Amino acid sequence: MFPGADAPRAEADYALVGAPLDASTSFEPGARFGPDRVRRYAEAFDDYDRHTDQQFSELALHDHGDVGPTADTGEYLTFLRGTCGDFREAGAVPLLVGGEHTVTVAGVRAVEPDVFVCLDAHLDLRESYAGDPLSHATVTRHALEVADRAVVLGARTGSEAEWERASEGDVRAVAPADVSDWEPDFDPDDSVYLSVDIDAFDPAYAPGTGTKEPFGIEPREGRRVVREVAPFAEGFDVVEVNDRDDGQAAVLAAKLLRAFVYSHAADR
Amino acid sequence: MATKQVEVRDLDEGSYVMIDDVACKINSYSTAKPGKHGSAKARVEAEGVFDGKKRNLSQPVDAKIRVPIINRKQGQVVSTSGDEAQVMDLETYDTFTIALPDGVDLSPDDDIEYLEMEEQRKIV
């Protein structure tokens, strides 16, 4: 269980769902260990958050446990979308912990946001990768089937076709150097889904991820984005943490998940 | 109620299942594993055949579940009145009243197909 996430399901305002999918990982595998790692490396955190003056264990978070994948990724995403949808119907904000980035597709389909905001090194705008239309390199493309627009913060790599797609009006790619100046630009009625791919951060800070990409954003910049987007967000995930480091990626992911909950709860 | 028992793994999109003692048609069927070494769990999203209400269930794939036995039958419209029709079953010649689905316009002598389970009927 994620430390402090001991609210009963029926009383939950936030529902953490572990999604250890590791099917399409294209370089270093291990995302299947992400949910366990994130829970483990959250153990040392203080319950109290000075920034919002709240105790984490009082914010009604329920840990649903992991929903493990079966062979058919499409079917698994449908299951996961249903699980997240159940929590939403019960009034809880779903918090997915990956697993590879593909699990975000389930979260986005459950929330049906107007805006998809993503911290990510990669544009993820491919139609398919290695013949797989549900690859972790296609997430933003799938999100745009649901959301009106996407903002990819920390984007620094993609194929030529992806950059062309990113130049269209419904996508905004913000380079790492510009993330510190980015401000949320949502309409008051917009619903937002926030996804954190841990590889948005420089691999110096989060080496435990499948497709490392140098020259990434700083943890403090990412935390500011999470804190500022959280009040608008109806769903959240943090993905692509694997077990190939000493906990740096997992501890950053866990801290950002907590930052999201603190900031979202403070705005309620 | 006429039902038969199957395993959850035998269900499929488009087939029927009993959820909360109500006959439902399955809109979505998906599976996932609940955890290490756990048997796969299936999630079924369905809607009531006769009341249209959405219902879900989540069960291990090897759990037993009941599916309704729903007959698909032929009928002929005798008369219509407002949003109802008087229909004669073409096999038994029984006549009964049945609700017209939204947007369906029928006239006397039209042939229809309908679903029947005990006293519940619905035009397809």
Side-chain angles (χ1 to χ4, degrees), chain A residues 66 68 75 78-79 81-82 86, chain B residues 28 30-34 43 45:
Chain A
D66 289 356
E75 198 170 87
T78 303
F79 190 101
R81 191 260 307 146
D86 288 346
Chain B
S28 160
S30 54
T31 54
K33 282 178 74 174
R43 180 185 170 83
E45 296 181 358

Side-chain angles (χ1 to χ4, degrees), chain B residues 60-73:
Chain B
V61 291
D62 51 0
K64 301 280 193 288
I65 196 158
R66 303 208 71 87
V67 299
I69 297 168
I70 297 176
N71 294 318
R72 181 179 283 259
K73 305 184 77 176

Side-chain angles (χ1 to χ4, degrees), chain A residues 117-132:
Chain A
V117 179
C118 184
L119 285 164
D120 199 334
H122 308 88
L123 292 169
D124 285 358
L125 281 166
R126 294 172 194 263
E127 287 184 28
S128 70
Y129 185 74
D132 181 3

